[in-house]
Amino acid sequence: MMKSLSAAVFVSFAGAMASGCGFQPVYSPSASSSASPLQIDQIDGRAGHELRRALLQETANGLPGAAQGGRLTVQLSEQLIRTGFESDGTTRRALLRMTADYVIDTGDNALSGSETAEISTNVPSEIFQDITNQNEARRSAAHELARKITNRLIVDLTETP
């Protein structure tokens, strides 16, 4: 009885301390949403989380032509293409292709578009290193996609009246 009571007190104390320090779950939809005047909907998956974080960083100062902000919705797809085969059939190179179809609604108008990023990586012989390489390629592709989307939105929003 005493152990369960002390465990309950510890858990409630730890929860209070974690909430007081600004703790948020890593994949929380509201993570860093206040950093950007542009509202970016949740994008599913690990790559989607990386893309959303990169978009929030890229748009932290807003977008010209969307002074009041807006809402950005992104559909993300990725494809891993094994290339660079050796004579024994093993793969030595891989290409990660990530495509984002997006729609931005600024209240006055809505624009849509699509951007693609491709990252080429070596495929090591160790399976766990291959997973690490794919994760790093996903992160790099997400950051490249965020840059491309932001640049395209800046151009499109400044051209529209």
Side-chain angles (χ1 to χ4, degrees), residues 1-19:
M1 177 70 177
M2 188 61 156
K3 282 186 179 184
S4 64
L5 179 62
S6 63
V9 169
F10 176 74
V11 168
S12 64
F13 178 74
M17 292 301 291
S19 66

Side-chain angles (χ1 to χ4, degrees), residues 47 50 54 96 98 134-144:
E50 286 289 341
L96 178 70
M98 202 178 287
Q134 287 179 27
N135 288 340
E136 183 60 29
R138 251 183 222 104
R139 189 190 66 70
S140 297
H143 283 272
E144 183 178 336

Side-chain angles (χ1 to χ4, degrees), residues 53-66:
R53 280 187 38 203
L55 283 168
L56 286 169
Q57 289 174 350
E58 290 283 333
T59 61
N61 295 326
L63 290 172

